[in-house]
């Protein structure tokens, strides 16, 4: 009975004679080659039943000799186990693992698992930084947008790109419309790129970037245009882009639009497969089953393992649809054209698409294609067969969308006692100057809150069509709903300096104040309470490690964090900011404000940890149907008020102690 029992084998208990002979020979060879071989136990060869314990004893000695240079102290690990009382039981041998193939001699042929990758929270051999590794193609995602014109597809794609990039998943938008306009000869190659969310001639898209003053932002084209490869001489001949071009019965135009879509998709696939991309978003109508099948087949032909997610934007709200159509009149297809005729033509274009439009549904479900239907900007979400962590996270994020007019304010706390002496972290209270900042902040926000309400009502009363010069904002669907009753939330961290800055808001019942632990300052671990100069003097190696890569760096010691950890804990905070329809003021800390500002300003990963967010600066963000409107104010201590910075631009920190 005993001989037939099945016992799990291990390197220690294995009794096979041939295996043991190989292990014994390997050990003896390593012992003879080691310079300190005399330290090993030299005894006559033991009998067969005793040789395993003898070899294990030598393995212990060998591991001890090879684990550190001669004469040095053992390595100490900062772990509660390393500080616990030593066991009296015999120690287990350290037998290094050998690379193997899980009991099979056949090389791996299956794809790698599409498991969760979170920069800062996951780490593996192929992905030390936690991002999706290039080999894990199945974890990458092609997002194919679906929907009629003026249904908010571009609005959705821009927000998705901003959110996923902020989460450190390399994401790009590939806009078929941009390439189509160039191919049709109604735009120049230098005007923009299919991979760019910005376009020099697209006013609403331009407004979607940060507004830095009355004259608008500086426009940066993100990528050079990839050369188009369309057959025939018509590539750059001017083609009529009226509603007739989008008529399904127009076979010549249909071929052009189909070829443009495939070329744009190829650029997207190159980005995912060869340039380190994690998510590529194809922004187009893709309104028929034929077109969607064509795209899926093209993706599978290039790389069968890639994930594909369809996102359909449906709009049944007539007011919202009218607002979206008005917004299109400022777009590149209708630049410098009569707005009345443009609106009429655009509605004809929509009818052309509607005549052949096939929404997501039965066909996709029969073929097990995962999809998300988003109805009326998130009022209703339908999911089907979502697979992978990216798809699930995207669905959760889409449920937070709303177009309610509101303001989002972000600032650091007032000056604290530790700020005076440049100490990191801690939990000190405010100085007298800090309390005065809190009082001025309360008075200024109260004033701006009333001013905003007057401005919104004035805009509603003066809404014109066509829009007046310089007015690119269509009316909000909810503009006349409950503006007088809009709440104002004030969110602080749980640290004294943040809570005390909000003391004047706390005393006013018209503000709802709440403290959040996730808004606490980045934990400096062992370096809490130290200055940068002290860290540089006492821990020069750690100081230089952080200077070389602030985004990836994690402070040593219990509780130590880095910027990637702050991004992860603020993920739910960002979703809540997007979800609520009320005003909100966030009184945070430098790292927290940097991370939040990076989300709204769509900063690259290289800029997050160095963004200048000094004490005494207040940021205002107002969501719009085309993006955000942005303002910055600087505290004027002499008058106890805030002055607007009309030419504010993000910059790197000048004074690390500010």
């Amino acid at each position: 009975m005993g001989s037939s029992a099945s016992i799990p084998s291990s390197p220690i208990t294995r009794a096979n004679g041939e295996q043991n002979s190989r292990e014994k020979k390997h050990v003896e060879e390593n012992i003879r080659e080691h310079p300190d071989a005399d330290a090993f136990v030299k005894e006559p060869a033991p009998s067969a039943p005793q040789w395993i314990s003898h070899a294990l004893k030598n393995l212990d000695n060998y591991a001890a000799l090879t684990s550190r240079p001669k004469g040095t102290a053992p390595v100490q690990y900062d772990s509660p186990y390393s500080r616990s009382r030593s066991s009296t039981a015999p120690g287990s041998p350290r037998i290094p693992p050998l690379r193997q193939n899980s009991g099979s001699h056949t090389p791996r042929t299956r794809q790698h698992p599409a498991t969760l990758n979170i920069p800062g929270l996951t780490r593996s051999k192929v992905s030390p930084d936690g991002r999706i590794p290039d080999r894990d193609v199945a974890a990458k995602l092609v997002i194919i947008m679906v929907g009629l014109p003026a249904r908010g597809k571009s609005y959705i794609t821009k927000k998705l790109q901003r959110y996923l990039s902020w989460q450190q998943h390399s994401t790009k938008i590939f806009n078929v419309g941009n390439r189509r306009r160039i191919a049709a000869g109604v735009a120049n190659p230098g005007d923009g790129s299919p991979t760019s969310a910005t376009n020099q001639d697209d006013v609403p898209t331009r407004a979607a970037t940060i507004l830095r003053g009355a004259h608008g932002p500086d426009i940066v084209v993100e990528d050079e245009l990839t050369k188009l490869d369309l057959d025939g001489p018509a590539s750059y001949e001017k083609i009529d882009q009226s509603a007739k071009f989008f008529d399904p019965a127009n076979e010549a135009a249909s071929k052009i639009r189909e070829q443009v879509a495939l070329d744009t998709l190829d650029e997207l696939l190159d980005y995912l497969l060869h340039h380190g991309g994690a998510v590529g978003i194809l922004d187009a109508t893709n309104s028929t089953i034929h077109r969607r099948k064509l795209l899926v087949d093209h993706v599978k032909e290039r790389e069968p393992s890639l994930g594909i997610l369809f996102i359909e934007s449906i709009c049944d709200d007539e007011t919202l649809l009218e607002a979206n159509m008005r917004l299109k009149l400022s777009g590149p297809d209708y630049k410098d054209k009569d707005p009345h005729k443009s609106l009429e033509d655009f509605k004809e274009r929509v009818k052309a698409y509607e005549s052949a439009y096939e929404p997501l549904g039965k066909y996709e479900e029969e073929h097990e294609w995962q999809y998300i239907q988003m109805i009326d900007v998130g009022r209703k979400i339908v999911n089907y067969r979502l697979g992978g962590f990216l798809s699930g996270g995207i669905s959760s994020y889409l449920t937070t969308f709303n177009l309610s007019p509101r303001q989002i304010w972000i600032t650091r706390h007032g000056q604290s006692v530790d700020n005076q002496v440049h100490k990191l972290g801690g939990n000190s209270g405010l100085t007298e100057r800090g309390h005065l900042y809190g009082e001025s902040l309360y008075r200024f926000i109260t004033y701006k809150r009333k001013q905003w309400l007057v401005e919104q009502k004035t805009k509603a009363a003066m809404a014109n069509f066509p829009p007046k010069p310089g007015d690119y904002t269509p009316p909000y669907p909810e503009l006349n709903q409950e503006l007088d009753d809009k709440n104002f939330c004030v969110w602080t961290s749980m640290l004294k300096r943040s809570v005390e800055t909000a003391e004047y808001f706390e005393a006013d019942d018209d503000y709802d104040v709440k403290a959040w632990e996730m808004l606490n300052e980045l934990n400096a671990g062992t370096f809490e309470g130290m200055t940068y100069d002290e860290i540089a003097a006492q821990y020069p190696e750690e100081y230089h490690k952080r200077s070389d890569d602030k985004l990836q760096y994690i402070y040593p010691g219990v509780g130590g964090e880095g910027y990637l950890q702050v991004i992860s804990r603020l993920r739910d905070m960002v979703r809540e900011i997007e979800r609520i329809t009320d005003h909100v003021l966030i009184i945070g800390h430098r790292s927290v404000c940097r991370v939040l500002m990076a989300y709204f300003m769509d900063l690259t990963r290289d800029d997050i940890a160095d963004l200048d967010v000094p004490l005494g600066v207040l940021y205002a963000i107002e969501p719009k149907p085309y993006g955000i409107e942005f303002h910055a104010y600087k505290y004027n201590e002499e008058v106890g008020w805030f002055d607007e910075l009309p030419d504010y631009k993000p910059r790197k920190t000048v004074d690390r102690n500010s």
Side-chain angles (χ1 to χ4, degrees):
M1 292 290 289
S3 62
S4 63
S6 176
I7 302 175
S9 63
S10 72
I12 300 173
T13 61
R14 210 179 282 128
N16 183 279
E18 182 181 346
Q19 176 72 18
N20 291 338
S21 297
R22 288 198 300 269
E23 291 178 354
K24 180 179 179 182
K25 183 179 179 181
H26 176 70
V27 170
E28 291 173 347
E29 289 175 352
N30 285 329
I31 291 173
R32 285 196 299 271
E33 294 173 1
H34 198 279
D36 292 314
D38 291 339
F40 285 91
V41 178
K42 292 186 177 180
E43 299 176 0
S47 59
Q50 298 174 337
W51 89 266
I52 294 179
S53 61
H54 181 79
L56 294 178
K57 183 177 181 181
N58 281 340
L59 274 174
D60 284 338
N61 291 334
Y62 179 70
L65 287 170
T66 56
S67 62
R68 61 182 185 277
K70 188 176 180 180
T72 61
V75 178
Q76 297 294 324
Y77 296 94
D78 186 14
S79 164
Y81 300 105
S82 66
R83 297 189 294 273
S84 63
R85 182 175 298 177
S86 299
S87 172
T88 58
S92 298
R94 172 68 177 94
I95 301 178
L98 299 176
R99 188 168 184 82
Q100 53 188 311
N101 196 21
S102 301
S104 171
H105 297 288
T106 304
R108 172 192 283 269
T109 57
R110 63 183 180 276
Q111 66 188 31
H112 295 279
T115 55
L116 184 66
N117 286 272
I118 302 178
L121 295 186
T122 62
R123 188 174 301 164
S124 63
K125 181 179 178 180
V126 296
S127 179
D129 58 4
R131 298 193 183 100
I132 299 175
D134 284 339
R135 77 168 194 185
D136 293 353
V137 177
K140 298 187 177 187
L141 192 61
V142 177
I143 297 177
I144 299 177
M145 299 302 298
V146 177
L148 293 168
R151 263 61 179 182
K153 295 186 300 299
S154 294
Y155 170 79
I156 294 170
T157 60
K158 289 168 190 172
K159 293 200 70 167
L160 269 182
Q161 186 271 336
R162 179 157 54 94
Y163 177 73
L164 292 170
S165 296
W166 177 70
Q167 289 287 298
Q168 307 304 297
H169 300 302
S170 299
T171 306
K172 272 189 178 180
I173 299 170
F174 296 79
N175 189 287
V176 176
N178 288 348
R179 187 183 287 273
R180 182 254 306 162
R181 279 183 282 272
I182 296 169
V186 296
N188 297 318
D191 290 342
S193 166
T195 62
S196 174
T198 58
N199 186 292
Q200 291 179 346
D201 292 322
D202 188 342
V203 176
T205 305
R206 199 164 69 202
T209 59
I210 304 163
L211 297 182
R212 307 186 184 107
H215 301 292
D218 297 331
I219 304 303
V220 178
V221 177
E222 297 175 1
D223 303 279
E224 294 295 326
L225 179 68
T226 302
K227 290 183 179 180
L228 297 175
D229 187 22
L230 298 178
D231 296 330
S235 296
Y236 287 95
E237 293 178 4
K238 187 155 182 152
I239 299 174
D240 179 26
Q241 292 288 283
S242 68
K244 294 179 181 179
F245 182 79
F246 302 93
D247 189 339
N250 188 337
E251 293 185 6
S254 295
K255 289 181 179 180
I256 292 176
R257 289 187 283 115
E258 193 169 281
Q259 183 61 47
V260 168
L262 291 177
D263 286 345
T264 309
L265 180 59
D266 272 327
E267 188 177 355
L268 182 155
L269 295 175
D270 287 340
Y271 169 68
L272 294 184
L273 300 176
H274 306 301
H275 300 291
V279 181
I281 306 175
L282 188 68
D283 185 9
T285 55
N286 302 313
S287 55
T288 65
I289 293 175
H290 168 75
R291 169 64 63 83
R292 298 194 287 270
K293 184 178 183 301
L294 183 71
L295 297 175
V296 170
D297 290 344
H298 197 75
V299 172
K300 295 303 181 184
E301 183 180 351
R302 285 281 303 269
E303 177 48 67
S305 300
L306 271 174
I308 302 175
L309 170 66
F310 290 96
I311 300 180
E312 181 179 22
S313 180
I314 299 172
C315 183
D316 297 324
D317 187 304
E318 292 297 330
T319 306
L320 180 59
L321 192 57
E322 179 73 15
N324 288 343
M325 286 187 175
R326 291 188 182 194
L327 186 61
K328 286 286 186 180
L329 301 187
S330 299
D333 284 341
Y334 297 106
K335 180 185 176 184
D336 301 326
K337 294 183 179 179
D338 180 83
H340 292 280
K341 293 182 179 179
S342 295
L343 182 61
E344 183 179 345
D345 180 82
F346 185 75
K347 289 182 177 181
E348 288 298 318
R349 179 192 298 190
V350 173
K351 287 181 180 179
Y353 273 104
E354 286 176 337
S355 66
Y357 181 59
E358 297 170 297
L360 298 177
K362 184 177 181 180
Y363 183 85
E364 286 73 19
E365 293 172 9
E366 288 175 350
H367 290 78
E368 298 296 319
W369 293 352
Q370 61 173 341
Y371 70 76
I372 300 173
Q373 282 183 326
M374 188 175 183
I375 301 167
D376 290 340
V377 199
R379 292 177 185 172
K380 181 179 179 181
I381 300 288
V382 177
N383 297 329
Y384 181 77
R385 297 287 290 180
L386 297 189
F389 70 96
L390 283 175
S391 298
I394 288 169
S395 175
S396 178
Y397 177 63
L398 292 179
T399 62
T400 66
F401 282 22
N402 77 83
L403 291 177
S404 179
R406 63 199 188 281
Q407 287 187 315
I408 301 164
W409 299 85
I410 299 175
T411 187
R412 288 175 65 185
H413 53 79
Q415 185 193 61
S416 70
V417 174
D418 282 344
N419 287 144
Q420 287 183 306
V421 292
H422 309 313
K423 287 185 177 181
L424 299 181
N427 194 21
S428 65
L430 296 181
T431 63
E432 185 59 32
R433 293 176 64 188
H435 285 289
L436 289 175
Y437 178 79
E439 181 183 6
S440 299
L441 180 65
Y442 165 74
R443 290 189 290 106
F444 182 75
I445 290 292
T446 301
Y447 168 78
K448 296 297 288 185
R449 181 183 180 183
K450 295 176 180 177
Q451 184 186 57
W452 178 88
L453 181 60
V454 172
E455 290 175 352
Q456 295 302 307
K457 291 185 175 181
T458 301
K459 286 181 180 179
M462 297 179 63
N464 291 287
F465 184 80
K468 291 183 177 179
D471 178 16
Y472 303 115
T473 306
Y476 281 104
E478 300 95 339
L479 189 60
N480 297 314
Q481 300 176 14
E482 303 179 356
L483 289 178
D484 289 316
D485 300 326
K486 190 171 289 291
N487 291 318
F488 202 114
C489 303
V490 179
W491 295 346
T492 75
S493 75
M494 290 191 173
L495 300 177
K496 287 182 181 179
R497 54 192 183 277
S498 177
V499 173
E500 290 180 358
T501 304
E503 60 187 348
Y504 288 93
F505 294 98
E506 187 75 81
D508 188 339
D509 289 339
D510 207 23
Y511 290 92
D512 297 289
V513 182
K514 180 182 292 184
W516 300 69
E517 187 172 4
M518 66 179 69
L519 287 175
N520 283 2
E521 176 63 300
L522 183 153
N523 191 311
T526 302
F527 300 155
E528 282 279 313
M530 298 178 66
T531 66
Y532 287 116
D533 292 335
E534 290 172 343
I535 296 172
Q538 299 178 35
Y539 303 92
E541 185 177 346
E542 290 291 329
Y543 182 82
H544 290 300
K545 279 172 60 179
R546 183 175 183 273
S547 299
D548 292 340
D549 191 356
K550 289 175 67 177
L551 184 66
Q552 299 281 346
Y553 181 80
I554 299 175
Y555 279 105
V558 177
E561 291 183 301
Y563 275 91
L564 293 178
Q565 285 71 40
V566 176
I567 290 173
S568 293
R569 66 170 151 98
L570 287 178
R571 181 172 57 245
D572 290 337
M573 170 66 69
V574 163
R575 291 178 178 177
E576 183 66 5
I577 294 172
E578 292 284 12
R579 184 194 66 79
I580 64 172
T581 60
D582 301 318
H583 301 299
V584 62
L585 165 66
I586 297 172
I587 302 175
H589 306 268
R590 179 155 61 179
S591 67
V592 168
C593 291
R594 278 173 169 166
V595 168
L596 291 176
M597 294 295 292
Y599 167 73
F600 286 108
M601 302 171 79
D602 197 14
L603 298 182
T604 66
R605 61 171 58 100
D606 297 325
D607 298 327
I608 294 175
D610 288 317
L611 178 64
D612 189 36
V613 186
L615 292 173
V617 177
L618 175 64
Y619 305 96
I621 298 159
E622 191 170 342
K624 299 286 186 179
Y626 50 73
I628 63 168
E629 185 176 326
F630 180 85
H631 298 276
Y633 303 87
K634 185 173 178 58
Y635 177 49
N636 187 332
E637 193 170 12
E638 293 183 1
V639 298
W641 201 245
F642 289 79
D643 300 324
E644 185 167 3
L645 302 174
D647 298 321
Y648 173 83
K649 294 181 181 180
R651 64 174 185 173
K652 289 193 173 184
T653 298
V654 178
D655 181 6
R656 67 185 182 186
N657 294 312
S658 65

